Amino acid sequence: METFADRAIPYYLNLTDPTNLPPGVGVLNPFRQPEVAQICREFYGKFFSDTTPRVYVLGINPGRFGAGVTGISFTTPQNLKRYCGIDNNLPPTPELSSRFIYQIVEAFGGAEAFYGRFFLSSLYPLALVKEGKNYNFYDDKATTATLWPDIIASVRQQIAFGCNRNVVVCLGRKNEAFLQKLNQQHGFFGKIVTLDHPRYILQYRSRDLDSYVDKYVTTLADCVSL
């Protein structure tokens, strides 16, 4: 029987770049690098070599300092090594979201316990950039329209890895509008639960960090039982 890892690894290693993005919008595809391809095989082989359905936790699209470098959602090279036990030669990167996410991972007992229940990913699987900065697929209408068919296909393919379709956790309030639209069109998930995006929390609500960590942990734990 195919495992979650058996389905996920080929998906990521065969991602292709969009060819019709609006002028000035670029894409980062780290999986073309042999080291990132190996990280992908090792990460999914280590944490997802089973058939247990995961609760999906979906962001927008990767950032250039997290999955845009490592290929692993919300994971910098240094956190990949420190928390996941996967050594690598990638240069360390600053990524606020990764710092917050791995507080959540640790609150669940570490990477093995967390990834045994959850799958972190994004509606669109590749990092977008504009003028050297992170860019979101919804930041302009032309980019949204261009990538929408790819987003539909991406979510459908990722669900096939091994998804608990009773519920999905959406990261980001603006992201929610697009996930709701997607779900209304295709009925991918039974329920959408939305949490504030980690970057928003650390940039604008850092004084309330402990309460946000508690909110994440409680919400995610509740979703597992749905």
Side-chain angles (χ1 to χ4, degrees):
M1 181 179 294
E2 277 192 330
T3 65
F4 193 111
D6 290 333
R7 298 185 181 102
I9 294 168
Y11 167 79
Y12 286 110
L13 298 191
N14 289 288
L15 285 173
T16 58
D17 299 0
T19 58
N20 55 344
L21 286 170
V25 180
V27 66
L28 303 177
N29 186 347
F31 299 100
R32 290 180 294 187
Q33 301 176 35
E35 182 172 4
V36 175
Q38 180 56 35
I39 286 169
C40 179
R41 294 186 189 97
E42 188 172 347
F43 178 84
Y44 287 100
K46 183 173 184 177
F47 298 115
F48 292 88
S49 287
D50 56 65
T51 58
T52 302
R54 265 67 169 185
V55 172
Y56 281 29
V57 183
L58 300 179
I60 307 153
N61 46 259
R64 71 192 193 281
F65 291 139
V69 174
T70 64
I72 307 301
S73 292
F74 296 99
T75 304
T76 59
Q78 59 269 37
N79 285 347
L80 184 67
K81 181 176 182 178
R82 178 179 179 183
Y83 296 105
C84 301
I86 297 176
D87 204 4
N88 63 89
N89 295 311
L90 299 171
T93 57
E95 175 56 82
L96 288 175
S97 296
S98 184
R99 187 194 313 167
F100 180 85
I101 285 295
Y102 276 92
Q103 283 187 256
I104 306 304
V105 170
E106 288 296 282
F108 274 92
E112 186 173 351
F114 180 84
Y115 290 119
R117 287 180 273 183
F118 304 102
F119 171 55
L120 291 174
S121 190
S122 304
L123 298 189
Y124 184 69
L126 295 176
L128 301 173
V129 291
K130 187 173 185 178
E131 297 176 353
K133 298 180 180 179
N134 285 337
Y135 202 66
N136 299 320
F137 73 79
Y138 55 55
D139 282 343
D140 72 83
K141 292 182 179 179
T143 299
T144 304
T146 296
L147 292 179
W148 194 248
D150 293 337
I151 290 169
I152 295 169
S154 169
V155 174
R156 180 177 286 116
Q157 288 173 288
Q158 291 183 76
I159 284 173
F161 299 167
C163 180
N164 175 349
R165 295 179 63 171
N166 294 328
V167 62
V168 64
V169 179
C170 175
L171 299 187
R173 303 291 169 181
K174 191 168 182 180
N175 192 37
E176 180 184 21
F178 294 90
L179 184 51
Q180 289 281 10
K181 178 182 177 182
L182 194 71
N183 208 45
Q184 288 166 6
Q185 292 175 344
H186 301 279
F188 288 138
F189 306 102
K191 181 180 181 180
I192 297 172
V193 176
T194 302
L195 292 166
D196 288 315
H197 196 279
R199 178 168 289 278
Y200 167 82
I201 294 168
L202 289 182
Q203 280 188 325
Y204 303 109
R205 295 290 186 268
S206 59
R207 68 177 64 183
D208 301 317
L209 181 61
D210 289 345
S211 64
Y212 276 107
V213 169
D214 290 343
K215 176 68 172 177
Y216 258 68
V217 171
T218 300
T219 300
L220 290 174
D222 289 345
C223 287
V224 172
S225 64
L226 292 178

